Each structure stands twice: as C-alpha cells, then as structure tokens.
C-alpha cells in the first residue's frame, strides 16, 4: 500500500560544518533531527532528506526529480552550503511555490537572497538548546501549514517571469525513489543511534561496529567518519596501538593536515597525543601540537585549546634546549588563560544552561585552573562536571587530562 501523504524534500548540509562567516561549527544533523523532521512529521508530510537518496545511474537524476516533484522543499542554507544553495536555485527554477528557506541566525545571507523570506533559528554551540529547538520546530510547522494551504508563489524566478510555465514529469520511478530514500534514512538512523548509545554506555568497541555499518551506507559523511575514529581509538581493540593507527587511517579520509574543522583536528590531535604517550616518538607529539594548534588558533575551539596547552607542557619536558622548553611552558600558560576567558564569556550567556556540551566546558575549565595552580576554582568546575551525568569513558578522559594538568602545575 503506497503512502498517500504529500512529500517534503529537505536540502541541506549534513554532519558538522563550519560557518566561516561566524567562525562557528554547527551540527546540521541536529538541525534536521531537532527542528525540521519533527515539524514536517507534525504537519503530516513525508520527510525525505536530500543526502539520503540512493543514487543509481546518473547521480543527478533523482535529485532533480525530487526538486521538481516534491510537494514542499525546505532548504537550510546555514554555513553557506553551496550544494543546498544550488539545489534551492534549481527548485526556484522548477516550481513557482511551496519552498521554504531557513538558516542559522548568526550566518549571513548571500546578496541575492536578502529579499527572500527566511526562517531563522539559533545554535547554542554545535547543537541546539531544547527550548530553541521546540520554538523553531513549532514555528516551522506553522509555516509549513501556511505555505501548503495558501499555495502562493514564492520563487523569485516565477515572480519576475510571470509567464514562465512550470515543467512536468511522469510518475515513473518517483514512488520507488521515495521508498528507497526513506529505507536508507531509517537504516542509517538506526545504526547511528545504536553507536551513540554504545558510546554513552562506555562500549566503544560496539559503537565502532555500529558506526562502521553506518559508514557503509554513507561513506563520505564527515560526522560518521569522526564518530568511527573516536570509537575506534577508544576501543583499544585489538590493542591500544593498533586501534590508534586504525583511527589515524580513518580520520585521514578528512585530510586533517588541511582541514579547518575543529572536530577533525581535535581527533587527529588526540590520536597523535596518545601515540606519543605509548611510544615517546617526538614526531607524534609535534603532530599533536600542530593539529590542536590549528583547531584553536583558527576556530578558538576550547577542546583543542586545552589539549594544545597539555601538549605544550608534555613537549617542554623533553626539550633539549632550555629556551624552547621555556617557550612551550609559557605558551601553555597563555593558551589556558585564553581558554578560560573564552569559556567564562560562554558561561555568562543566558543560553548556557541549554548547551549540550556544558559538561565538557566545566571539565576544560577545571583542568585549565588546576594547571594554573588555581585549585579552588578547579575544584568548583570539577564538581560541576561530575554533576552532569558523564559516562564512564568521559570521566576517564577527564581524569587523564587532570593528571596531566596537575603534572604541569608541579
């Protein structure tokens, strides 16, 4: 029995993407999961995401088919994603109505879209706070209902070329493509949820298996590659060294030497840092400093900043030149002070309570304070971290960082 609901086709980036206008990294999968899909489901439409199409033959045919045939298209153009903007333009050329544009509020619209009505929402850190997700999803649901009921022209192409005729296409294979996309979407979501649950339950080996299965469905997804790399090196299977080198190969698909993604750089740095701890090969430590440094200097990412400081301290201990050792220690102190200043500003915002990464902010603050000898402040932040119901592997990761920070203090 075929699904008679109208179809909403969602065009947007996927995974974690950096918005170079605002300098922030946004989790666009969180946008889809917390805002778009709930709104579309509540409005009674079938929700198909563009990157879930199972392509066969010429890769563009299913995409153009969906852009023409979908009853509604939602285009999230956050981070200036060129694919989403291009697909939005194609939709505007193919259909005069039933297109919704949305974006994260801090980024900028390109000039040609400044006059087009756009729904705005806000990311709090990489993710979206619960209250903002509920607000934005409700607003999107209302807009979907309005757009579908009014059927007004919203395409600039048909507005300025009123005599232009909309093209048509037969129904052949359309339903089949919808079912394929929905099936892939369901399988992928199941595997990712399985992996996330395993990580929260401190079962990284099981998480690695789930993420590897998900990656087979979506091989080039940066977020899946990052999740798989993290779970792999945390698993320490079949040995800690083997797991680290396997994780290094996995994250290598994202070219960390040239990446500006703080998540990719942080993972690459962590792998090299742990290889250094096992084998004391100076090349690993220098690589860790390079990756963490790029992530902090370019993106002001606090995770990269804290670990950059730790690696400066580690390197100071093995420097044969006294001046170089002093430089590394001073650099570590300078970075920690910058991280604390950055995080104090974040913690002062009213939206801080909605951030999903606040436990890591408290953990980072604690270790920075401990390394600077500010013990009372460090203990306050440590208690706040422990109150956040962190998983066992997260607590172990924090304690390892704390041990290194205390050694730096000594």
């Amino acid at each position: 029995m075929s699904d008679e609901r109208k179809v909403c086709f969602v065009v947007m980036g996927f995974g974690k993407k950096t918005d170079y206008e605002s300098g922030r990294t946004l989790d666009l999968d969180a946008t889809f999961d917390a805002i778009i899909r709930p709104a579309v489901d509540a409005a009674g439409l079938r929700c198909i995401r563009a990157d879930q199409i199972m392509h066969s033959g010429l890769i563009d045919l299913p995409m153009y088919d969906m852009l023409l045939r979908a009853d509604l298209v939602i285009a999230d153009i956050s981070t200036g994603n060129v694919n989403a903007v291009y697909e939005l333009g194609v939709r505007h050329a193919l259909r005069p109505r039933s297109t919704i544009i949305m974006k994260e509020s801090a980024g900028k619209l390109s000039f040609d879209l400044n006059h087009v009505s756009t729904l705005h929402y806000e990311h709090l850190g990489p993710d979206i706070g619960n209250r903002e997700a509920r607000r934005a999803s409700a607003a999107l649901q209302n807009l979907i209902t309005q757009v579908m009921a009014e059927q007004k022209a919203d395409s600039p192409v048909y507005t300025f070329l009123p005599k232009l005729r909309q093209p048509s296409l037969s129904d052949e294979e359309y339903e089949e493509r919808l079912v394929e996309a929905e099936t892939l979407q369901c399988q992928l979501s199941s595997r990712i949820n399985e992996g996330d649950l395993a990580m929260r339950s401190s079962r990284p080996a099981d998480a690695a298996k789930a993420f590897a299965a998900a990656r087979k469905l979506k091989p080039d997804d940066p977020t899946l590659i990052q999740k798989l790399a993290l779970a792999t090196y945390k698993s320490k299977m079949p040995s800690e060294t083997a797991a680290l080198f396997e994780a290094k190969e996995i994250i290598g698909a994202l070219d960390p030497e040239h990446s500006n993604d703080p998540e990719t750089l942080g993972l690459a740095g962590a792998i090299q840092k742990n290889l250094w701890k096992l084998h004391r090969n100076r090349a690993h430590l220098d690589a860790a400093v390079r990756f963490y440094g790029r992530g902090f200097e370019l993106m002001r990412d606090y995770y990269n900043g804290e670990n950059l400081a730790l690696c400066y301290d580690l390197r100071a201990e093995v420097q044969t030149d006294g001046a170089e050792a002093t430089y590394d220690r001073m650099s570590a102190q300078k970075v920690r002070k910058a991280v604390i200043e950055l995080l104090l500003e974040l913690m002062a915002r009213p939206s801080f309570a909605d951030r999903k990464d606040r436990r890591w902010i408290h953990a980072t603050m604690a270790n920075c304070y401990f390394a600077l000898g500010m013990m009372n402040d460090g203990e306050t932040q440590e208690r706040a971290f422990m109150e956040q119901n962190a998983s066992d592997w997260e607590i172990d990761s924090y304690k390892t960082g704390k041990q290194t920070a205390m050694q730096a203090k000594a």
Side-chain angles (χ1 to χ4, degrees):
M1 182 176 178
S2 63
D3 192 332
E4 299 298 330
R5 291 176 297 166
K6 293 183 181 298
V7 174
C8 173
F9 189 51
V10 181
V11 297
M12 62 186 304
F14 56 88
K16 293 181 179 179
K17 294 288 187 293
T18 300
D19 178 4
Y20 294 104
E21 290 286 355
S22 65
R24 298 177 307 144
T25 297
L26 309 179
D27 186 346
L28 298 179
D29 289 344
T31 300
F32 180 75
D33 292 335
I35 296 178
I36 298 175
R37 184 161 192 171
V40 175
D41 288 345
L45 281 71
R46 296 170 73 178
C47 187
I48 308 293
R49 193 174 176 184
D51 60 293
Q52 305 297 349
I53 298 174
M54 297 182 72
H55 298 298
S56 61
L58 294 174
I59 192 168
D60 292 326
L61 288 180
M63 178 70 69
Y64 291 137
D65 196 355
M66 294 288 186
L67 289 170
L68 172 61
R69 297 292 304 276
D71 301 284
L72 174 71
V73 165
I74 296 176
D76 186 322
I77 57 173
S78 302
T79 72
N81 184 277
V82 292
N83 289 332
V85 174
Y86 174 78
E87 289 154 15
L88 170 62
V90 172
R91 171 68 173 190
H92 277 161
L94 294 176
R95 290 284 290 264
R97 58 185 61 84
S98 303
T99 302
I100 293 174
I101 305 173
M102 58 186 292
K103 65 175 289 293
E104 206 279 335
S105 58
K108 295 181 179 178
L109 278 175
S110 62
F111 174 80
D112 288 340
L113 294 174
N114 279 335
H115 61 285
V116 180
S117 178
T118 304
L119 176 71
H120 291 85
Y121 64 94
E122 183 179 2
H123 271 252
L124 306 174
D127 292 317
I128 307 164
N130 291 331
R131 282 178 291 183
E132 172 62 7
R134 289 194 299 269
R135 181 207 66 79
S137 189
L140 179 58
Q141 180 188 343
N142 290 336
L143 184 56
I144 292 171
T145 302
Q146 177 185 337
V147 167
M148 296 300 290
E150 294 180 350
Q151 290 293 301
K152 291 182 179 178
D154 49 36
S155 164
V157 176
Y158 287 87
T159 299
F160 292 106
L161 299 174
K163 295 184 179 181
L164 187 64
R165 292 185 178 182
Q166 176 186 327
S168 61
L169 192 67
S170 70
D171 292 335
E172 188 177 358
E173 295 186 340
Y174 181 56
E175 179 65 25
E176 181 181 346
R177 288 170 182 169
L178 291 175
V179 172
E180 286 178 343
E182 287 176 323
T183 300
L184 176 60
Q185 193 164 279
C186 182
Q187 292 174 344
L188 185 63
S189 178
S190 176
R191 292 297 190 183
I192 293 173
N193 290 339
E194 180 185 343
D196 287 340
L197 176 60
M199 284 299 288
R200 288 195 298 271
S201 303
S202 300
R203 295 182 287 111
D206 291 337
K209 291 178 183 177
F211 293 139
R215 192 185 177 194
K216 289 181 179 179
L217 298 172
K218 200 173 180 183
D220 299 323
D221 184 337
T223 301
L224 281 178
I225 292 171
Q226 292 162 352
K227 286 176 178 287
L228 178 57
L230 174 63
T232 298
Y233 94 73
K234 290 291 185 182
S235 75
K236 300 183 180 180
M237 298 292 290
S239 68
E240 188 170 359
T241 295
L244 286 166
F245 277 109
E246 183 180 354
K248 180 176 179 288
E249 182 176 352
I250 291 168
I251 203 67
L254 300 180
D255 191 14
E257 289 287 355
H258 301 97
S259 175
N260 292 334
D261 184 330
E263 185 77 13
T264 295
L265 292 165
L267 284 165
I271 292 164
Q272 295 289 347
K273 179 181 68 176
N274 283 284
L275 284 170
W276 153 256
K277 290 179 178 179
L278 287 174
H279 302 290
R280 289 298 191 267
N281 183 331
R282 173 65 182 268
H284 292 310
L285 185 55
D286 288 339
V289 169
R290 185 168 67 254
F291 290 132
Y292 284 137
R294 185 176 178 85
F296 183 63
E297 291 159 10
L298 288 179
M299 309 308 301
R300 308 306 288 176
D301 178 74
Y302 65 83
Y303 170 84
N304 280 282
E306 178 199 358
N307 283 282
L308 172 62
L310 288 175
C311 288
Y312 274 137
D313 283 327
L314 291 172
R315 196 168 67 176
E317 295 174 2
V318 297
Q319 292 283 17
T320 57
D321 185 316
E324 291 292 337
T326 299
Y327 172 82
D328 278 346
R329 291 191 183 94
M330 291 179 65
S331 296
Q333 187 177 60
K334 182 178 179 181
V335 169
R336 287 191 177 101
K337 289 178 178 178
V339 169
I340 289 173
E341 182 179 355
L342 171 71
L343 294 183
L344 284 174
E345 192 275 329
L346 286 181
M347 293 171 70
R349 296 178 184 175
S351 60
F352 177 71
D354 286 333
R355 291 183 66 116
K356 295 181 180 179
D357 62 338
R358 60 185 183 276
R359 67 186 181 282
W360 289 119
I361 291 177
H362 289 304
T364 299
M365 289 281 280
N367 283 338
C368 286
Y369 279 132
F370 285 140
L372 293 172
M374 303 170 70
M375 306 306 292
N376 290 337
D377 290 321
E379 289 168 1
T380 298
Q381 295 298 327
E382 182 179 88
R383 285 194 295 272
F385 167 72
M386 292 298 183
E387 292 169 358
Q388 298 296 317
N389 298 318
S391 63
D392 290 343
W393 78 264
E394 291 171 331
I395 293 173
D396 289 343
S397 180
Y398 164 72
K399 288 180 177 179
T400 300
K402 179 182 178 181
Q403 182 180 12
T404 307
M406 296 299 284
Q407 290 172 349
K409 171 184 172 294

